[in-house]
Amino acid sequence: MSAPMPTPALPCPCGLPAAYPECCGRFHSGAQQAPTAELLMRSRFSAFAVGDTAYLLRSWHPDTRPGRLDLDPGQRWERLEILATERGGMFETEGSVEFRAHYREGRHTGSLHEHSAFSREAGAWVYVGPLSPVDFD
């Protein structure tokens, strides 16, 4: 069971003010690639929010990508905070993003805090993995 797709008029789940099709939806569909590590991080959060496991796997570094990904249908990713970025620009090959992703499971709310590594592989940004232990609040 996947999460409902955002309607075109609503802001993208990633927190930027653009509507989903013009924001992360263009990356999920394959129409464009995220030009920076931060935009890839935002698009991955949105993919968790809308249940797009194919995009999550496609945007994961092949050396660290799991064989399969099963999302918890009871978990809703609601809000993303970008805390810091280092490198990861349009003309770079490595970068990192520190973020806090807020979720809800039933009546419980929580957050995931991660400092993630990204690299550019064959011209496309991909998620490598956490740089430090992942912290669930």
Side-chain angles (χ1 to χ4, degrees), residues 41-116:
M41 177 60 242
R42 288 182 178 279
S43 71
R44 286 179 56 81
F45 174 84
S46 290
F48 275 102
V50 301
D52 190 344
T53 56
Y55 179 77
L56 289 166
L57 291 169
R58 193 169 66 246
S59 62
W60 211 311
H61 193 284
D63 291 346
T64 57
R65 177 176 42 225
R68 60 182 271 181
L69 183 62
D70 296 315
L71 301 180
D72 180 347
Q75 192 172 50
R76 298 283 178 239
W77 294 95
E78 298 186 327
R79 184 169 56 93
L80 176 67
E81 293 175 81
I82 300 296
L83 305 174
T85 60
E86 186 177 330
R87 299 185 330 272
M90 291 175 53
F91 303 107
E92 297 175 291
T93 58
E94 293 182 341
S96 67
V97 179
E98 182 181 4
F99 67 92
R100 185 176 311 277
H102 299 267
Y103 64 90
R104 174 178 299 279
E105 280 188 86
R107 293 182 168 183
H108 173 75
T109 60
S111 65
L112 168 119
H113 179 211
E114 184 175 317
H115 188 191
S116 302

